[in-house]
Amino acid sequence: EMEWAPSCFYFLKSEVFRKTGGHDEKIFIYMDDVEWCKRIHDAGYKLFFTPSFTSVHLCGASTVNKGIDGWRLSQQVAGIKYYQEKHHPRTAKLISMLLSIGLTLRSILYLFSGNTTTARYYIQSRSASL
């Protein structure tokens, strides 16, 4: 039994899909699987790893770059923020503040290492966390 699984491959009953509604369309990419797994658990279902099933996940195939870029980073931040607001509204502002602090610190570290492009991505993504 597991709490979360990446949604590159799920084998589930149609009843689970109907009752939970599948992926939340407000989360385009990143955090969508975490959010859906939460709703699956909240609906009373359990997730299991079944080693008899296999699939191939083309990690990163949904995005053009493999490295950090502004779009992917902002999607991750937006996904975290949306998840918190939807499922944990009482702590959402605290999480947004902590995200902002973390993104700022990472930006500073990248700036000092000479990687100004990545530093800029973190600063730009910071606005999504506020």
Side-chain angles (χ1 to χ4, degrees):
E1 187 173 338
M2 53 200 314
E3 293 293 316
W4 164 83
S7 62
C8 54
F9 178 78
Y10 285 168
F11 187 76
L12 54 100
K13 295 178 180 179
S14 59
E15 166 191 336
V16 176
F17 187 87
R18 279 193 307 276
K19 190 168 183 180
T20 61
H23 284 280
D24 184 329
E25 292 184 10
K26 292 182 181 177
I27 306 176
F28 174 65
I29 191 170
Y30 306 118
M31 289 299 289
D32 54 334
D33 44 8
V34 175
E35 196 280 328
W36 191 17
C37 286
K38 170 137 179 54
R39 285 187 287 118
I40 290 171
H41 281 287
D42 289 351
Y45 298 103
K46 295 181 180 183
L47 296 169
F48 291 94
F49 170 72
T50 307
S52 59
F53 285 98
T54 60
S55 69
V56 176
H57 178 227
L58 302 174
C59 187
S62 300
T63 57
V64 177
N65 292 330
K66 299 288 184 198
I68 294 174
D69 65 47
W71 179 82
R72 288 173 37 168
L73 188 56
S74 66
Q75 291 298 314
Q76 288 175 325
V77 172
I80 293 168
K81 184 178 176 188
Y82 177 78
Y83 176 88
Q84 289 297 322
E85 289 170 350
K86 182 175 180 178
H87 294 289
H88 306 286
R90 291 177 53 210
T91 59
K93 288 186 188 248
L94 172 64
I95 296 301
S96 288
M97 183 183 69
L98 292 173
L99 272 171
S100 181
I101 291 168
L103 292 165
T104 301
L105 291 174
R106 281 189 163 216
S107 178
I108 291 168
L109 290 173
Y110 278 110
L111 192 60
F112 283 133
S113 73
N115 190 338
T116 57
T117 301
T118 303
R120 187 176 66 245
Y121 292 151
Y122 277 95
I123 286 297
Q124 290 168 349
S125 295
R126 185 178 171 272
S127 64
S129 72
L130 299 174

